[in-house]
Structure formats: structure tokens, C-alpha cells
Amino acid sequence: MNVAPNTLRKLSELQEAGLVPDNQREALERVAAQYAVAITPAMVGLIDPADPSGPIARQFVPNGAELHVQPAETADPIGDDAHSPIRGIVHRYPDRVLLKLTHLCAVYCRFCFRREMIGPGEMPLTPGELDAALSYIAGHPEIWEVVLTGGDPLVLSPRRLRAVVSRLALIDHVKIIRVHTRVPVADPARITPALVRGLKARGKATYVVLHVNHARELTAAAREACALIIDAGIPMLSQSVLLTGVNDDPQTLGALMRALVECRIKPYYLHHGDLAPGTSHLRTTIERGQELMRALRGRVSGLCQPTYVLDIPGGHGKSPIGPNYLTADADGRNRIEDYNGATHRYPPTR
Ligand code: SF4
């Protein structure tokens, strides 16, 4: 992995950059000993040291609150392990698998749902394990889609990515290759024509899903990186995590979704924060998430509407969590709510 030069990884470096105060050093050392830290220059450039609780700092700068683990929080909040037949594969839904190529990321998000499984301290997938993972996919004809994830697969070299994608291309029943990444915003210089070529395979459709949580992350360089991907014929979708103090107000969330659509990226998922250890200070309530989704509906274009989802702990998969606009009145007749909150009767349908 070629990391962005000058990525901040040590607390001393964060301190030198003015991102952590002296008086929190001891608590933050304990946080950093437990969970990986990396902030790329692209993200450091978006942090105002005078505003340590700003939306970019909150996502990447370690916080003493991470030491407080709630009873409901677990090391594997979305239940990857329960569906991992072999190392590197998560087979939760019948027609698709996750292929976790690397445990490394360009940046480490403080709310990461896989925070106990990623970072430089974790064992990489060996060549033998990768062979076994690809054999597993080849041996399961029901697998239509392979999601390359990690960590962040786009921290791998174009050569390694091309090698994996070429091997997937040999598996007839795999039709879709989906790449989950934060790199186009976190380290846009990594998105080169060679890397983009490496993601494409004849006869397969590649999709790139960008993890982005605030419009500010879509810098000019990030937008160019995304355009390089899209202009190569690879559609892009987005996934965002609803985070307290980052995007939990209608204006910020609406601005993010609009900025994505302007970049030709279709908002796909808005994730409710997972029950990852030490992340409660960044999680909202579900009711707040539903209020925000109501605020988006009708006020920004339909193109800008993500689906608000929750990963059910224990590995039971994602479910949309509303809000629900259709209810029944006392007589069992349909009532439908419009975007202003007024309700209207709707006749029975058949
Ligand atoms: S980029 Fe994804 S996998 Fe990596 S730390 Fe952030 S949320 Fe976790």
C-alpha cells in the first residue's frame, strides 16, 4: 500500500498539527492504542484547528469519549463473523458476498463499524487465503455480485486490484463487482487512470460506492477523482453514516445529497450509526434520523433521497427504517402523509 505522504498517524503528529490539546493526551493515547488513527493531508486540510468539534475533525480525530463503551455495543456490530465461511468472505445474503481484500484504510473513521477488525495491527489476507476466497465464490453459482471491501480496497495498488478483478472476471456467474471506498475523498490522488482501468473487466459491471458524510469532503480534487471513475463508464453511488455534529441537520444532509448528485453520484444509503464500541457520542436516535429523512423528502429532489437503513445486530442484514408515510385510520382506511406533514385519505386499492 502506498500511503499518502504526510498522513498523520501518531498522536504527536496530531498534536503538532494543533488537532489535539495537551490536556487530553493521556486519554487519547489509550484511544489510539485501541483503535487505528490516520488522517490524510486531504482531510487535515479540511479541519479547522480552532474548531475541534467541526464535522471533519469529529470523523477522524480521536476523542476520549471512545473509551466509553455502552452495554449494547459489540466488537462485531453487524455480525460479519456469523456469516464468514472462510477468512476474507462474508456471505450474508444469498446472491452476494463481501470480499475483504485488506484491513487497511487511507483514513480511520472514529465511528467505523469494523473498528475492531481493521488497522495496521491486523493480519492481511495471505495469497493462499485469497485463492480460497476466490474458490469459494467460484464454487457458489448463486453469487451474482461481489463487494470488494475491507478496510478500503482502493488503498491497494492498481496491479493488485487488476489481478483480483481479472480473476473475478473468469467466474461466469459473477456479473457485478462493487467497490466500497472512501479513497476518492480521503486521498483523491490515488485515483489514477491505471487504478480505474484495474477496476473494469470485460463482461462485468463495476460499481463504485463512495463513503462520504459531509459536502465539504467533496473538494475539487475529490470531484475530479470521482469524474475519472464515472467518465470511464463506472457508475457511482454513495453511502453516508448519520453522525451527531457532522451531518445531523436538514441543511447539512441536504447539501451533501445535492453535492453528490451534482457529481453524478446517486445517494444510496444513509446508515444509522452501528453499535460499534465507543461510538455513542456520534450516534443519533432513530427518531432523529427519521425526522431528517422527512425533512429531505420533497425539499430536495427525488434524486437526492438515500434509503435510511439499519444493520440488524447479529448479522441479520440491513432493513430500511422509515419513516413510514402510509398508515391506516381507525376504520382501516389508508392515510398518506405528504411532504409538509399533512395527511390525506387514499381509497382502498386492489
Ligand atoms: S474507511 Fe470504512 S472501513 Fe475504513 S475506517 Fe472508515 S468506515 Fe471503517
Side-chain angles (χ1 to χ4, degrees):
M1 171 196 171
N2 300 320
V3 294
N6 306 322
T7 291
L8 307 183
R9 295 177 183 279
K10 296 188 188 133
L11 273 191
S12 54
E13 294 168 341
L14 268 62
Q15 208 168 1
E16 232 169 85
L19 300 182
V20 299
D22 275 350
N23 61 2
Q24 288 180 22
R25 181 77 189 252
E26 199 200 321
L28 296 185
E29 290 286 6
R30 283 194 283 146
V31 173
Q34 207 163 341
Y35 306 115
V37 175
I39 317 179
T40 52
M43 293 297 105
V44 171
L46 297 178
I47 298 175
D48 176 0
D51 182 16
S53 56
I56 310 298
R58 281 179 76 75
Q59 293 186 64
F60 303 116
V61 177
N63 187 311
E66 293 173 55
L67 296 170
H68 305 300
V69 177
Q70 302 292 316
E73 293 175 340
T74 62
D76 182 16
I78 73 166
D80 279 356
D81 284 349
H83 297 283
S84 184
I86 54 171
R87 194 149 186 266
I89 292 282
V90 178
H91 196 172
R92 196 183 330 266
Y93 305 98
D95 73 338
R96 53 206 182 273
V97 289
L98 305 185
L99 173 55
K100 294 180 177 179
L101 286 179
T102 175
H103 55 289
L104 298 174
C105 299
V107 280
Y108 292 105
C109 311
R110 305 325 302 165
F111 48 86
C112 177
F113 63 129
R114 295 202 176 109
R115 60 189 333 210
E116 299 273 1
M117 311 170 195
I118 56 154
E122 300 298 314
M123 286 291 289
L125 209 58
T126 65
E129 287 169 336
L130 177 61
D131 289 347
L134 292 167
S135 298
Y136 179 90
I137 296 168
H140 285 78
E142 72 276 21
I143 297 173
W144 173 78
E145 179 180 22
V146 175
V147 181
L148 302 184
T149 183
D152 193 322
L154 296 196
V155 301
L156 299 176
S157 69
R159 187 182 53 77
R160 280 196 66 194
L161 282 167
R162 176 179 285 281
V164 172
V165 169
S166 310
R167 292 177 71 182
L168 286 171
L170 298 175
I171 304 173
D172 234 22
H173 54 265
V174 172
K175 304 295 184 195
I176 308 294
I177 299 170
R178 191 194 329 169
V179 181
H180 281 186
T181 183
R182 207 154 174 29
V183 164
V185 293
D187 191 6
R190 286 193 73 79
I191 308 298
T192 60
L195 181 137
V196 174
R197 276 196 304 276
L199 299 178
K200 296 180 69 168
R202 193 181 295 275
K204 312 293 178 193
T206 299
Y207 286 75
V208 169
V209 181
L210 176 70
H211 172 185
V212 55
N213 301 319
H214 193 281
R216 215 183 281 171
E217 293 169 53
L218 291 164
T219 59
R223 287 170 192 244
E224 270 176 40
C226 294
L228 203 60
I229 295 169
I230 297 165
D231 288 345
I234 300 177
M236 284 187 73
L237 308 167
S238 71
Q239 50 182 341
S240 304
V241 183
L242 183 58
L243 295 166
T244 303
V246 174
N247 55 19
D248 64 334
D249 69 86
Q251 290 72 25
T252 305
L253 205 53
L256 168 62
M257 300 305 159
R258 279 186 165 170
L260 284 164
V261 173
E262 288 164 18
C263 293
R264 297 177 284 163
I265 301 170
K266 173 71 187 87
Y268 176 39
Y269 280 147
L270 176 66
H271 294 270
H272 187 72
D274 291 311
L275 294 167
T279 59
S280 60
H281 60 295
L282 291 167
R283 228 170 11 250
T284 67
T285 61
I286 290 177
E287 291 70 26
R288 180 63 183 149
Q290 291 176 331
E291 267 171 37
L292 290 164
M293 288 300 294
R294 273 179 205 282
L296 283 190
R297 173 79 42 200
R299 288 174 177 78
V300 292
S301 158
L303 283 175
C304 302
Q305 307 289 330
T307 303
Y308 182 36
V309 290
L310 172 89
D311 257 291
I312 305 170
H316 303 289
K318 280 182 194 57
S319 285
I321 51 171
N324 182 15
Y325 296 93
L326 185 67
T327 52
D329 64 19
D331 302 324
R333 285 170 305 188
N334 291 323
R335 295 206 70 99
I336 181 85
E337 184 183 324
D338 68 26
Y339 76 96
N340 286 313
T343 58
H344 309 269
R345 288 216 179 99
Y346 190 80
T349 54
R350 47 182 101 245

